[in-house]
């Protein structure tokens, strides 16, 4: 399974999420989206998930903590215990043995990030 993990600020729009997603997926056929569960009610996430027509996996903060990521945001580290919400969400949702296909990509407005992970078991 190929999962797009999303991280974003409270000011992010569906366009912010789309821009980060489009930069990150670069030709990959993504099977699902994932982000931290406390972002579930964000209107931009609901809009983007609906237009992307992909299932959304909500990851608990505990499942993000300690995920090894390629990049590090001080805010993500302080809030969730991981370097990147996007990378950690993708890895957690893709399952055991998952690996990142690339580090997180940042939308031009800098309000959203997206990283792609592939599951370790096919």
């Amino acid at each position: 399974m190929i999962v797009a993990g999303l991280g974003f600020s409270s000011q992010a729009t569906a366009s912010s999420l789309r821009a980060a997603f489009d930069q990150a997926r670069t030709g990959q056929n993504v099977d699902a989206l994932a982000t931290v569960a406390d972002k579930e009610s964000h209107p931009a996430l609901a809009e983007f998930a609906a237009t992307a027509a992909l299932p959304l996996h909500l990851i608990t903060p505990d499942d993000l903590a300690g995920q090894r990521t390629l990049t590090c945001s001080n805010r993500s580290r302080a809030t969730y215990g991981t370097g990147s919400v996007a990378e950690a969400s993708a890895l957690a949702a893709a399952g055991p043995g998952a690996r990142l296909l690339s580090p997180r990509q940042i939308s031009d407005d800098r309000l959203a990030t997206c990283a792609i992970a592939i599951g370790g078991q096919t």
Side-chain angles (χ1 to χ4, degrees), residues 68-85:
R68 295 187 67 185
T69 60
L70 297 175
T71 65
C72 186
S73 156
N74 290 333
R75 180 178 285 179
S76 292
R77 177 78 58 210
T79 305
Y80 297 107
T82 188
S84 166
V85 169

Side-chain angles (χ1 to χ4, degrees), residues 52-107:
L54 293 169
L56 176 63
H57 298 271
L58 298 170
I59 310 300
T60 67
D62 286 345
D63 288 337
L64 293 182
Q67 287 281 353
R68 295 187 67 185
T69 60
L70 297 175
T71 65
C72 186
S73 156
N74 290 333
R75 180 178 285 179
S76 292
R77 177 78 58 210
T79 305
Y80 297 107
T82 188
S84 166
V85 169
E87 293 175 13
S89 295
L91 288 166
R99 64 181 174 82
L100 290 169
L101 296 177
S102 69
R104 67 188 166 141
Q105 299 297 307
I106 303 170
S107 62

Side-chain angles (χ1 to χ4, degrees), residues 3-6 13-30 33 48 51-54 102-108 112-116:
V3 179
L6 300 166
T13 65
S15 295
S16 305
L17 294 169
R18 169 61 68 187
F21 175 79
D22 287 345
Q23 287 179 46
R25 72 177 173 150
T26 60
Q28 298 293 327
N29 289 322
V30 173
L33 304 172
F48 174 67
T51 61
L54 293 169
S102 69
R104 67 188 166 141
Q105 299 297 307
I106 303 170
S107 62
D108 289 340
T113 61
C114 183
I116 308 295

